[in-house]
Amino acid sequence: MPEDFVVTPWEVKGSIDYDRLITQFGTERITPEILERIRRRTGELHFMLRRGIFYSHRDLNLILDGAEKGHPFALYTGRGPSSGIHIGHMLPWFFTRWLQEKFKATLYFQITDDEKFLFKDFEDLDQATKVGYDNILDIIAMGFDPKLTRILVDTEYIHHLYPIAVEAAKRITFSTTQAVFGFTNSNNIGEIFYTSVQAAPAFLPSVLAKKPVPVLIPCGIDQDPHFRIARDVAPKLGYPKPALVHNKLLMSLQGPGAKMSASIPESSIFTTDTEKAAHKKINNAFTGGRATVEEQRRLGANPTICPVFNFYEFIFDPDDKHLAEVDRTCRSGERLCGECKAELWGLVGPFLKKHHEAREKAKDRVEDFVVRD
Ligand code: TRP
């Protein structure tokens, strides 16, 4: 059956059927049993778990088996520095920070400047590295624990990563990368090698500790193909297979199915947007509303296709009761899109202001987080 959506590490388009992705990728759904196990360890469930925003996994049960026996695990996530950071990039980071806090886990945060150069986002490698350092300010501003967080920039940490990457690369054929990523003869050989560089931090904690350390990777479901490969090679190298938790992707402010990207500034809120610019973007956002007020009062609106509702649900409104009220009043027509946007801005505005301040302070803290060869 032809798909009407595409999800790969380099391309996300169309209206994504997340259930179908679980089947396509061969991942597992996060079940109520798993949620209950997490709740027992953490005392509460993050709203992204309660709401199924983090909805899919691989081997999360094994991480929980270990945690229940008191075995530590490491966290690993990353950022391909193609542009400034928008709120959609931060979605998995909020959850990663929560996991770090609850499990006191060390977090390895990979900045793949090499990837964004190889995949042609930049003419010069050092431009990618520069954007990487800009992105690091946002990562630090999110409040990760400096004692438990190691940010690694690929080109500056390659001495640590390279031995692991070549071990992995030797066990990955070109034909596997063709099947998994759709590569062809015209892809450059750096692109073909790259997946082994993204695999490396998944094994780094074991290499550093000189014993197997389980690793959990929170990431957008679009990154799963890399880790399918990493999981295949892990036993051949004597490392535990990395476990994963996958999140659904935040909607573009221009509507479901629209692309969220730095080349379309109106598509999302970027961390360097002024408050004025961000406010305007929200006011101009697509909604699930009706053509006229009269119609909306009579028929109600549709939150399921609405990026404004999506922002409440995925990021800005952790209070389930309030969210249910937004949902109800939207559907009933009691709530109009203008007032709904104004209320959302009441949550986004203060967040952005605080983030701007933390981002400024982060400039003096980079060395507390970045590890180098
Ligand atoms: N490839 C990812 C991107 O383009 C960056 C990345 C590297 C990553 N390692 C990761 C993302 C681990 C999630 C988890 O953004």
Side-chain angles (χ1 to χ4, degrees):
M1 188 170 55
E3 300 292 353
D4 37 18
F5 64 90
V6 178
V7 175
T8 75
W10 298 288
E11 188 184 19
V12 175
K13 79 175 184 211
S15 188
I16 305 167
D17 181 336
Y18 286 102
D19 293 327
R20 200 129 51 93
L21 266 187
I22 287 195
T23 324
Q24 249 180 43
F25 284 1
T27 67
E28 313 270 335
R29 180 175 300 284
I30 297 180
T31 59
E33 289 73 32
I34 292 192
L35 290 182
E36 183 49 29
R37 287 184 78 185
I38 299 173
R39 202 194 52 74
R40 271 202 303 265
R41 302 246 41 97
T42 57
E44 55 166 5
L45 281 180
H46 193 276
F47 72 88
M48 291 184 188
L49 287 170
R50 294 200 303 268
R51 295 178 189 169
I53 297 164
F54 273 86
Y55 81 114
S56 152
H57 77 100
R58 293 181 188 268
D59 283 348
L60 182 53
N61 40 325
L62 296 186
I63 294 287
L64 294 169
D65 288 347
E68 282 164 13
K69 292 187 196 117
H71 300 160
F73 63 90
L75 289 163
Y76 161 38
T77 195
R79 160 70 189 156
S82 52
S83 69
I85 297 298
H86 60 56
I87 191 75
H89 298 134
M90 296 167 97
L91 192 159
W93 305 347
F94 290 110
F95 182 62
T96 304
R97 185 186 65 196
W98 182 80
L99 286 173
Q100 175 178 68
E101 225 172 83
K102 291 289 175 187
F103 291 94
K104 300 281 170 272
T106 302
L107 166 65
Y108 294 83
F109 208 124
Q110 181 180 37
I111 308 295
T112 59
D113 52 346
D114 54 347
E115 176 192 13
K116 295 303 157 184
F117 172 62
L118 289 167
F119 287 86
K120 306 177 193 74
D121 294 74
F122 297 100
E123 296 256 337
D124 300 318
L125 179 55
D126 59 352
Q127 288 174 330
T129 311
K130 210 169 143 219
V131 174
Y133 272 96
D134 172 82
N135 292 176
I136 284 171
L137 299 179
D138 290 302
I139 295 164
I140 293 173
M142 297 215 46
F144 291 106
D145 180 345
K147 287 198 203 69
L148 290 176
T149 305
R150 300 173 189 178
I151 302 178
L152 36 121
V153 179
D154 280 349
T155 56
E156 297 178 352
Y157 201 62
I158 199 61
H159 192 165
H160 283 80
L161 300 178
Y162 195 60
I164 313 173
V166 290
E167 288 281 354
K170 192 177 183 180
R171 279 112 182 148
I172 304 168
T173 63
F174 178 41
S175 103
T176 295
T177 68
Q178 285 174 306
V180 174
F181 301 116
F183 289 163
T184 66
N185 284 332
S186 59
N187 280 94
N188 73 55
I189 61 174
E191 289 175 310
I192 297 157
F193 180 75
Y194 169 72
T195 193
S196 59
V197 177
Q198 185 156 329
F203 308 134
L204 182 68
S206 297
V207 172
L208 294 175
K210 300 191 172 67
K211 63 175 189 203
V213 177
V215 168
L216 175 63
I217 308 174
C219 63
I221 183 111
D222 56 304
Q223 294 296 315
D224 182 74
H226 282 297
F227 299 118
R228 221 141 69 210
I229 298 181
R231 285 168 52 82
D232 279 348
V233 302
K236 300 176 191 162
L237 306 183
Y239 302 123
K241 289 186 181 193
L244 293 136
V245 268
H246 306 108
N247 63 274
K248 298 175 183 169
L249 310 174
L250 191 73
M251 239 184 242
S252 160
L253 286 175
Q254 297 180 309
K259 212 172 127 53
M260 195 162 54
S261 106
S263 54
I264 317 167
E266 317 81 64
S267 65
S268 198
I269 305 291
F270 286 74
T271 62
T272 52
D273 284 347
T274 61
E275 286 175 61
K276 190 164 163 237
H279 194 173
K280 192 165 155 209
K281 286 182 187 187
I282 293 203
N283 282 339
N284 291 340
F286 177 89
T287 72
R290 301 277 174 177
T292 65
V293 171
E294 184 279 321
E295 252 185 69
Q296 184 145 337
R297 291 284 188 219
R298 190 157 47 86
L299 302 167
N302 181 2
T304 62
I305 57 158
C306 181
V308 174
F309 185 76
N310 190 246
F311 269 49
Y312 279 99
E313 183 185 15
F314 276 35
I315 313 238
F316 290 104
D317 191 3
D319 177 350
D320 289 345
K321 267 211 197 105
H322 183 260
L323 185 74
E325 190 58 10
V326 175
D327 182 87
R328 187 189 67 74
T329 50
C330 169
R331 288 174 195 272
S332 72
E334 281 161 67
R335 171 179 287 260
L336 296 178
C337 298
E339 53 199 58
C340 192
K341 285 174 169 177
E343 194 185 339
L344 178 66
W345 177 249
L347 300 170
V348 177
F351 165 81
L352 196 61
K353 189 160 187 271
K354 224 177 104 211
H355 188 82
H356 283 163
E357 286 162 14
R359 198 177 191 281
E360 265 318 296
K361 290 204 187 105
K363 291 181 179 164
D364 297 326
R365 302 176 64 212
V366 174
E367 296 310 312
D368 298 342
F369 286 86
V370 173
V371 289
R372 297 204 177 77
D373 280 333

